[in-house]
Amino acid sequence: MSANTIGAPGPISCTVSRAARELGLQRVEFDIAVRLGRIRTVPDEGGGGGRRVERTEIDRLRAQDGFPDTLRERVRAVGTVEGAALMNIPAGRFTRLARLGMLVPVHHYLNRYRAVVWLYPAEELRAFTSAAEHAHLLKGRTPETLRGQLEAGVDLRARNWRGRHLGFLLRQAEGAWDRAGALAAFLAPGDIADVVKDPYERAHLNRFRPAPPGRAAPGSPSAHLAERIMTAQDTDETEWLRGELARTVGEARAVSPAPRPTARPAARRPLSAARPIPPMARTVTRPNDAGKRPASSSAPPAGGPGHHRQRPARGLRAWLRRGPRAALEPMRL
């Protein structure tokens, strides 16, 4: 190619699958990187409703020192055993810290035993361990107040995950209806109907309500689990979401009201002109000019349905037709 030749411009964005391949990340790692804000995405302008990654963003990440190892380490997520080893504490203490809400998960999945496995950003675990104010939580006896909460059954892992995921959805929201849909994603249908009473607004809101993350098949155990974890459980959490949803829907209503069917007047059918009634079929018989019966091959045979029996002559005509013998007999009147 000569110096004056201009090549065809490349695409300004690509799908998330292609971006993950070019960045050397698995799809789960890519999704975690997006939720953590390590990779920026943009809406799909083609109307598909998905997300895309701009070419400039891919070039920025690939230009970082130590790529791709540094990027993969920044988006690395670990489970309980690996996280405890990273923090140099027993797995039981790690679980207690997570249940108390001090370690916030970023992802979850269902293992083969149908148990929930929580994943935590390794970068955040290292930061928690290095903080001086957390030293008493990593060694020694757990404080009495925290032990009481654990004995009462406190488990904030799902709630903290919802809070992190809500923040991620709100950062991606483009408008008021998008923000309202993000809030509605964490409420049960009954709570949504109680807050948004207009059926047309609820139908419009559902268009912006994101589904739980993951690619679980509809109706599968993983899908039911994702829906249960996605829905707020505590009363104070539910009430806060309801209040924010009512406020955000009010803002969205003022900016862009939900579409509703327009009342169309009933179309009146025009009075059609009276249609002429066709004449009934009838047979017209022309009279014979000479008084003779026309010869026709279609004439009904004698005795047929069209034949009329001739009545016997009576009176004077019958007497005259009998001939000379009639003169010798008296005429019957």
Side-chain angles (χ1 to χ4, degrees):
M1 181 181 296
S2 63
N4 296 329
T5 303
I6 300 177
I12 60 175
S13 65
C14 62
T15 62
V16 294
S17 299
R18 179 173 178 178
R21 290 195 302 268
E22 294 193 17
L23 295 174
L25 300 175
Q26 299 179 3
R27 183 57 188 272
V28 174
E29 294 174 329
F30 181 88
D31 292 341
I32 292 175
V34 172
R35 295 176 203 170
L36 293 175
R38 303 291 186 262
I39 301 176
R40 295 189 296 265
T41 61
V42 295
D44 186 0
E45 299 296 338
R51 308 287 296 185
R52 296 179 68 87
V53 182
E54 293 181 339
R55 177 57 56 181
T56 56
E57 178 69 4
I58 297 177
D59 296 339
R60 180 187 70 86
L61 295 170
R62 292 175 64 91
Q64 294 178 352
D65 294 337
F67 175 86
D69 295 335
T70 53
L71 177 61
R72 297 193 66 174
E73 186 60 29
R74 292 182 65 191
V75 301
R76 178 185 169 203
V78 297
T80 299
V81 177
E82 192 174 359
L86 184 65
M87 299 176 66
N88 197 22
I89 58 176
R93 184 180 290 268
F94 183 96
T95 301
R96 289 193 294 271
L97 293 176
R99 288 180 57 189
L100 291 168
M102 299 180 183
L103 307 176
V104 182
V106 68
H107 185 61
H108 61 81
Y109 66 91
L110 198 65
N111 63 10
R112 60 180 179 176
Y113 303 107
R114 295 191 178 181
V116 182
V117 178
W118 297 99
L119 298 180
Y120 306 83
E123 192 175 44
E124 293 182 3
L125 299 183
R126 285 192 291 265
F128 185 92
T129 305
S130 60
E133 63 270 18
H134 299 152
H136 69 287
L137 298 173
L138 301 177
K139 295 181 180 180
R141 188 175 179 85
T142 304
E144 185 67 28
T145 55
L146 299 182
R147 289 204 308 269
Q149 295 180 29
L150 292 171
E151 292 173 358
V154 170
D155 191 349
L156 300 177
R157 288 175 291 184
R159 177 168 178 170
N160 282 345
W161 175 86
R162 287 191 293 269
R164 183 193 288 272
H165 193 57
L166 174 60
F168 161 69
L169 294 178
L170 292 177
R171 288 194 302 270
Q172 286 193 329
E174 299 291 334
W177 283 111
D178 289 302
R179 294 192 297 273
L183 293 165
F186 299 91
L187 288 172
D191 290 315
I192 298 175
D194 193 27
V195 174
V196 186
K197 300 184 181 299
D198 189 282
Y200 298 108
E201 288 185 345
R202 286 200 306 272
H204 190 58
L205 177 64
N206 285 333
R207 296 177 52 194
F208 300 90
R209 185 183 181 191
R215 291 171 291 276
S220 64
S222 298
H224 290 302
L225 170 69
E227 184 177 357
R228 179 170 60 85
I229 293 177
M230 191 84 169
T231 306
Q233 304 294 332
D234 300 330
T235 303
D236 58 335
E237 181 187 10
T238 302
E239 291 302 322
W240 181 85
L241 289 170
R242 286 166 58 100
E244 288 297 306
L245 177 62
R247 182 184 62 81
T248 310
V249 168
E251 296 176 356
R253 184 187 302 119
V255 175
S256 176
R260 59 188 67 243
T262 56
R264 297 181 179 179
R268 297 182 60 183
R269 297 181 61 181
L271 297 176
S272 58
R275 299 179 60 184
I277 301 176
M280 296 182 64
R282 55 194 175 188
T283 302
V284 180
T285 304
R286 295 181 57 187
N288 296 330
D289 296 336
K292 298 181 180 179
R293 183 177 180 181
S296 175
S297 60
S298 61
H307 176 72
H308 299 281
R309 173 179 291 182
Q310 186 177 5
R311 293 182 179 180
R314 294 184 179 179
L316 179 61
R317 289 186 303 168
W319 182 76
L320 292 175
R321 289 179 180 178
R322 291 171 63 181
R325 293 179 59 185
L328 301 178
E329 297 179 2
M331 182 180 64
R332 297 179 182 178
L333 298 178

